Amino acid sequence: MTIDVVIAGGGPNGLLLACELALTGVRPTVLEREPLRPTMPKANGLVGRVVQALDYRGLYPLLSGNSGPPMKMPAFQFGALPLALSMLDNHSLYALPIPQRRLEELLEERARELGIEIQRGHEVVGVNQTDELVNIEVSGPDGHYELDARYLVAADGGRSAIRKACGIDFPGITERGFVGRGGQVNILPPVAQPGTGELEVAGVGRFRPATFTRTERGMFAFGMFQPGLYRVAVYESADEELEDNDEMPLAELQAAINRVLGGEVPLREPIGGEPSALRRTTGANSRQAEHYRHGRVFLVGDAAHVHSGVGGPGLNLGMQDVLNLGWKLAGTINGWAPADLLDSYQSERHPVGERVIMHTRAQTALISAGPLITAVRQVFEELLQDKNNVQYIADLMAGADIHYPVRGTGPAHPLAGGWMPDLALHNDSGSTRVAELLRAGRPVLLNLAGETDLVDAAKGWSDRVDVVSASTAQPPADAVLIRPDGYVAWATESADSTDDLRAALSAWFGAPA
């Protein structure tokens, strides 16, 4: 039996891809090498466009516990410099605070509800492919076995065995000029301020959670996830050669924080049986796979790119890889996708990965120690007083500056290639919004001017494209063709655009039925 898609990796990216494929009728198999979900804390939430993207797929209420649309952050940071988002008329820096373990739990529940098979304790150890299929060697609890699949997606992390087996280069740099230490700890009053999560360090000052504090000696960051329980991280210059250590003593973390802040922050073992997850790291990788596709094998998330976590871009980048690839893979399996559609995954997402690596390297430089960096930060502080500069940085960090290449014929509308705004809509059924139209994971032709000619022109694609007629207060176009991942494939301000619409539908969604 040949499986349509095998996904290697049961983290957020692998699970989200499984859900995306299941919405289209494709039933993937997920192989996760860990027999149990790791208890060690990882990411603490989602930042950027991905929050809106998950809302467009109907997952935001599940993950956030809130029934309404996502809310924008009033402020953020770039390289531990304040980003005054309140001065902007509009921005896309949304946040969804959720521990990665909980994120994985909820996505796995959703995947199982959709009938997806998830096998834990199964690791891909070999890959061979032909023009027609991928042969996958797996090590499982009962020994080695083989699977045949039409496609294999590597969501198996930064040390991806699949990427290595395919011989895909992973160029980049490893920065060893600093040492990072972090973990999960208990901090008691009077340093911990009851009810606020803030820290008051005698002789130094007060620090707010979810912020980065940079000093001449390094950088300190922390967050509180329940009263008294903190995740802390501290970075300083590497004055001696050290090794990575997943069992670092608490006293070492304590001493590093005291050095960087110049004050005492007493640490205790975490409360409530939570793991301390104390860890020392001696280098930061920023690397990107030369190719995201190798025949019938695709890379997503950390398998395709690794970078500094400053600014929280990891899941924003990886989960949008998944949302970009999922519908294209499903369209190919279901038989309607144009022959070159899968190649657009590389051409669209690789440049986005390059930009994330660029800005995370810049932020890593800005949080480094020393008077020369202090001078650079002073220049940046002045630049970030300008509204246009704040807008540029906010768009860069959110991924709101993405504009994908346009396919089809005719002049490109300004909306084409960019994100589709979540317009408030009204139709015969009542009030709705763009996000609710995309819950099924299908393309949508949104008719905002009541043009029956455009609706008729799309009938040949009714098996794969939903057509919705609605009105909105200030329509940005007469009609918009929206991809399943929330980006605009085509738009027009003219009813006399039926030929261009058919060309766009064919270029993105194949020949009419």
Side-chain angles (χ1 to χ4, degrees):
M1 175 183 175
T2 299
I3 302 168
D4 282 331
V5 182
V6 168
I7 301 169
N13 295 319
L15 293 170
L16 179 62
L17 179 60
C19 293
E20 285 291 287
L21 294 172
L23 288 176
T24 71
V26 176
R27 288 291 180 270
T29 293
V30 178
L31 304 178
E32 168 53 50
R33 63 174 171 259
E34 297 293 339
L36 299 173
R37 185 176 296 107
T39 59
M40 291 299 179
K42 294 182 180 178
N44 303 316
L46 309 175
V47 176
R49 182 72 83 192
V50 68
V51 180
Q52 285 180 290
L54 292 174
D55 180 39
Y56 280 28
R57 197 59 86 244
L59 291 170
Y60 180 76
L62 171 69
L63 301 178
S64 69
N66 299 321
S67 58
M71 301 296 291
K72 299 177 182 181
M73 291 189 287
F76 201 51
Q77 293 196 342
F78 180 79
L81 291 168
L83 206 56
L85 302 176
S86 58
M87 73 168 63
L88 302 181
D89 299 325
N90 191 26
H91 68 82
S92 299
L93 273 170
Y94 294 81
L96 197 171
I98 181 172
Q100 183 166 325
R101 179 179 173 83
R102 181 58 177 160
L103 174 64
E104 292 178 7
E105 288 175 351
L106 292 171
L107 288 176
E108 183 169 333
E109 289 175 9
R110 174 62 174 155
R112 293 190 186 279
E113 288 173 0
L114 293 170
I116 294 164
E117 182 181 6
I118 302 171
Q119 299 192 35
R120 289 194 166 273
H122 294 249
E123 180 178 7
V124 174
V125 295
V127 178
N128 297 283
Q129 61 177 312
T130 67
D131 292 341
E132 289 77 30
L133 56 81
V134 186
N135 177 260
I136 304 162
E137 300 174 33
V138 185
S139 176
D142 298 324
H144 281 66
Y145 64 96
E146 295 184 6
L147 293 173
D148 287 335
R150 294 179 65 183
Y151 296 97
L152 169 64
V153 178
D156 56 342
R159 298 178 180 177
S160 173
I162 295 171
R163 185 189 66 237
K164 295 174 183 176
C166 292
I168 300 173
D169 288 340
F170 201 44
I173 62 173
T174 300
E175 172 56 50
R176 298 195 178 278
F178 64 89
V179 57
R181 298 177 176 91
Q184 194 162 238
V185 298
N186 183 217
I187 304 177
L188 300 175
V191 173
Q193 300 297 296
T196 69
E198 297 178 331
L199 301 179
E200 180 75 39
V201 182
V204 180
R206 182 173 291 231
F207 303 96
R208 292 185 296 110
T211 59
F212 297 85
T213 299
R214 187 262 179 190
T215 73
E216 288 287 351
R217 297 169 294 277
M219 194 272 291
F220 172 70
F222 73 99
M224 186 181 75
F225 299 96
Q226 62 188 65
L229 183 63
Y230 291 81
R231 287 281 302 278
V232 299
V234 60
Y235 301 87
E236 58 184 338
S237 297
D239 296 328
E240 58 179 318
E241 288 192 12
L242 297 170
E243 299 291 334
D244 288 1
N245 186 345
D246 290 338
E247 299 180 357
M248 179 186 66
L250 182 63
E252 181 178 332
L253 177 62
Q254 172 82 76
I257 293 174
N258 293 352
R259 283 193 300 270
V260 168
L261 289 182
E264 182 84 12
V265 182
L267 308 181
R268 302 289 184 271
E269 292 292 337
I271 57 178
E274 293 285 340
S276 58
L278 297 175
R279 187 183 184 199
R280 179 203 306 140
T281 57
T282 59
N285 277 317
S286 55
R287 300 179 178 276
Q288 184 177 28
E290 185 175 2
H291 303 292
Y292 287 9
R293 179 183 187 180
H294 181 74
R296 291 180 171 268
V297 178
F298 294 86
L299 310 180
V300 298
D302 288 355
H305 38 68
V306 294
H307 46 76
S308 165
V310 63
L315 290 174
N316 187 26
L317 180 59
M319 296 179 92
Q320 286 202 80
D321 288 346
V322 165
L323 293 167
N324 186 289
L325 176 63
W327 67 273
K328 298 172 182 178
L329 199 55
T332 302
I333 291 168
N334 288 326
W336 55 255
D340 62 344
L341 185 62
L342 276 177
D343 289 332
S344 70
Y345 173 61
Q346 162 78 18
S347 61
E348 290 186 346
R349 294 305 296 171
H350 198 273
V352 177
E354 288 177 337
R355 289 186 63 75
V356 170
I357 288 175
M358 178 267 289
H359 80 67
T360 54
R361 285 178 179 173
Q363 292 187 77
T364 300
L366 284 169
I367 64 175
S368 300
L372 296 180
I373 298 300
T374 299
V376 174
R377 291 174 61 84
Q378 290 170 342
V379 173
F380 263 81
E381 285 176 348
E382 293 181 10
L383 291 173
L384 291 178
Q385 302 305 309
D386 183 272
K387 177 178 178 180
N388 293 329
N389 293 336
V390 174
Q391 185 76 63
Y392 180 88
I393 294 293
D395 288 349
L396 176 65
M397 296 185 74
D401 57 350
I402 295 172
H403 259 79
Y404 292 136
V406 176
R407 298 161 65 96
T409 61
H413 189 276
L415 282 177
W419 182 256
M420 179 61 194
D422 188 20
L423 304 175
L425 304 172
H426 186 80
N427 57 22
D428 293 341
S429 301
S431 297
T432 185
R433 56 192 179 97
V434 167
E436 295 175 354
L437 305 181
L438 294 169
R439 298 286 158 85
R442 286 166 56 90
V444 172
L445 176 62
L446 179 59
N447 178 19
L448 294 170
E451 299 292 352
T452 57
D453 287 348
L454 294 175
V455 172
D456 291 342
K459 287 183 177 178
W461 289 265
S462 61
D463 61 326
R464 73 207 77 151
V465 178
D466 294 332
V467 178
V468 178
S469 294
S471 61
T472 190
Q474 294 180 319
D478 283 356
V480 186
L481 180 61
I482 312 169
R483 301 172 6 162
D485 57 1
Y487 288 84
V488 175
W490 173 90
T492 186
E493 294 182 4
S494 170
D496 188 21
S497 302
T498 54
D499 289 343
D500 288 344
L501 173 59
R502 291 190 185 97
L505 285 164
S506 297
W508 286 108
F509 309 116

